[in-house]
């Protein structure tokens, strides 16, 4: 079993896609073990995406991520990190495989509906960024 961190981004929350996106996770064997809706501060968004600081898309990305509420979730399942990236599709929705969340729902490279951790290290960091250990509810 592995855990990964997911964000349902502003474009998706604003279009009432929380349920449809969460369904994709659940029907592919990923269980939601923590979930909350929040509005990111600029400081939080800058820190969360610090690895991209200096890139031309960084400031608009921070502006977009703080523009409306998001849903942050911890997903658990076998090979959860890679499985979630597969369910999401690649960053650019125009290049994402048919049937992935980004191919089906994303509006643009920036407004691409979901975030998912890309490694065990980022999953651990990102989960701890938003959740206390006691907020996680693993299945028995
Ligand atoms: P991913 O979200 O697929 O892990 P990433 O970590 O490379 O992609 O980038 C983080 C986010 O930054 C991405 O979801 C959308 C935005 N982004 C990346 N490259 C971009 C670009 N060329 N133009 C606009 N936004 C971009
Ligand atoms: Mg990334």
């Amino acid at each position: 079993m592995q855990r990964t961190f997911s964000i349902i981004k502003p474009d998706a929350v604003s279009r009432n896609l929380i349920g449809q996106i969460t369904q994709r996770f659940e029907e592919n064997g990923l269980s939601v073990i923590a979930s909350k809706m929040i509005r990111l501060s600029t400081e939080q968004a800058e820190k969360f995406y610090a690895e991209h600081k200096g890139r031309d898309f960084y400031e608009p990305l921070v502006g977009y991520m703080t523009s409306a509420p998001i849903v942050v979730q911890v997903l658990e399942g076998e090979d959860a990190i890679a499985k979630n990236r597969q369910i999401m599709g690649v960053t650019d929705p125009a290049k994402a495989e048919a049937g992935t969340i980004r191919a089906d729902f994303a509006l643009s490279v920036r407004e691409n509906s979901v975030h998912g951790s890309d490694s065990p290290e980022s999953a651990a960091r990102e989960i701890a960024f938003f959740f206390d250990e006691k907020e996680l509810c693993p299945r028995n």
Side-chain angles (χ1 to χ4, degrees):
M1 285 302 233
Q2 191 177 54
R3 290 174 186 174
T4 192
F5 174 72
S6 165
I7 301 178
I8 303 177
K9 293 185 177 181
D11 71 275
V13 172
S14 299
R15 288 178 291 144
N16 282 344
L17 295 171
I18 297 169
Q20 287 186 70
I21 288 174
T22 303
Q23 184 173 4
R24 303 282 180 108
F25 302 142
E26 293 183 330
E27 69 194 7
N28 284 288
L30 297 179
S31 299
V32 178
I33 65 160
S35 185
K36 60 188 172 190
M37 182 176 283
I38 58 171
R39 178 89 182 242
L40 284 182
S41 68
T42 299
E43 195 176 49
Q44 280 177 307
E46 285 175 347
K47 199 171 164 199
F48 184 77
Y49 279 117
E51 67 177 302
H52 296 302
K53 197 173 170 136
R55 308 287 293 276
D56 57 353
F57 62 80
Y58 178 72
E59 283 188 19
L61 174 64
V62 169
Y64 159 65
M65 289 299 293
T66 57
S67 67
I70 61 172
V71 175
V72 292
Q73 296 179 319
V74 179
L75 307 177
E76 187 175 75
E78 207 165 303
D79 212 11
I81 295 168
K83 188 179 278 182
N84 182 37
R85 298 285 297 194
Q86 206 169 0
I87 296 164
M88 290 164 58
V90 297
T91 312
D92 180 352
K95 296 179 182 150
E97 204 179 319
T100 60
I101 291 170
R102 282 166 163 172
D104 290 349
F105 300 125
L107 301 174
S108 66
V109 177
R110 180 173 305 122
E111 296 179 297
N112 63 2
S113 302
V114 280
H115 165 86
S117 307
D118 62 8
S119 68
E121 295 70 30
S122 59
R125 180 184 74 82
E126 292 170 359
I127 290 169
F129 192 91
F130 288 105
F131 292 97
D132 289 333
E133 186 65 33
K134 64 177 185 297
E135 292 181 283
L136 309 181
C137 304
R139 307 297 165 81
N140 297 309

